[in-house]
Amino acid sequence: MEQEARLPRNGKEGAIYGGIICFLTATFMSTLSIVLAVGEFNGEAALMIIKILPIMWIIAMIIEPLLVGRIAEKMVAKFTAPTDSFNAKILFRIVFTVFGMSFFMTLIGGIIGNGGFSSHTISDWLATWPRNFLIVLLAETLIIQPIARFAMVKMHASQAKKEEFAAAASK
């Protein structure tokens, strides 16, 4: 049985795949959120982005595999059948993952941005989460996930060439 070339096949590849997605999403959303909060992209916004990006990326890399990804996998299994297409399963996975990640990351970003939990944290979250969910859903579906899947295809092609070369060399 041939394995899907667009998805990770082991833990190391899963970490790379997740790292790509989390890095691109954290970069995109941190930049967008800060620019919207500041009102323009300027030196102050750039400095804020540089400071917050590593923190948001690390948080995303922890929350996704330990919490959101596990829930998303269970939801995908519940709402899809084994005969459903790759694209259907990926789309469900994106929707469930983006729902959970945008929920938590918007809340965490608001707490960090406000210097801690305040009386405005929940009202700010209620105002920004729907926007963030829709923006990330579109970005993940149209740009970020395809980039990560392309990286997996290239990685698997490179591995296959190495295996072919090793097999030919051993003859």
Side-chain angles (χ1 to χ4, degrees):
M1 182 173 114
E2 188 164 322
Q3 292 182 312
E4 177 57 59
R6 295 172 284 185
L7 294 176
R9 297 177 179 166
N10 56 49
K12 178 183 172 187
E13 291 178 4
I16 293 168
Y17 183 76
I20 292 168
I21 293 168
C22 286
F23 177 76
L24 292 174
T25 305
T27 301
F28 175 66
M29 286 309 296
S30 293
T31 302
L32 179 66
S33 296
I34 289 169
V35 168
L36 289 174
V38 173
E40 64 180 343
F41 184 78
N42 56 26
E44 176 189 355
L47 188 58
M48 290 171 73
I49 293 164
I50 290 168
K51 286 179 180 178
I52 197 73
L53 182 57
I55 297 165
M56 297 305 280
W57 182 68
I58 290 168
I59 292 169
M61 287 295 293
I62 293 168
I63 290 175
E64 197 287 326
L66 295 179
L67 178 65
V68 175
R70 292 178 182 188
I71 294 169
E73 280 300 315
K74 288 178 183 174
M75 297 300 288
V76 169
K78 184 174 181 147
F79 286 97
T80 63
T83 55
D84 286 341
S85 71
F86 173 84
N87 289 335
K89 290 179 181 183
I90 287 294
L91 187 57
F92 271 105
R93 174 65 194 243
I94 291 170
V95 169
F96 294 132
T97 302
V98 167
F99 184 90
M101 290 300 289
S102 64
F103 180 96
F104 288 113
M105 296 304 285
T106 301
L107 182 62
I108 292 165
I111 292 168
I112 292 171
N114 290 328
F117 196 87
S118 71
S119 60
H120 296 287
T121 301
I122 300 301
S123 62
D124 290 349
W125 179 85
L126 287 170
T128 57
W129 176 73
R131 177 201 69 201
N132 289 352
F133 170 74
L134 290 173
I135 291 170
V136 175
L137 183 62
L138 288 172
E140 288 270 341
T141 304
L142 300 175
I143 300 164
I144 294 168
Q145 289 275 339
I147 289 171
R149 287 194 298 276
F150 178 76
M152 286 293 106
V153 168
K154 290 298 186 185
M155 181 184 295
H156 294 144
S158 174
Q159 290 170 351
K161 283 183 184 180
K162 287 178 185 176
E163 289 170 6
E164 289 173 17
F165 181 74
S170 67
K171 286 185 181 182

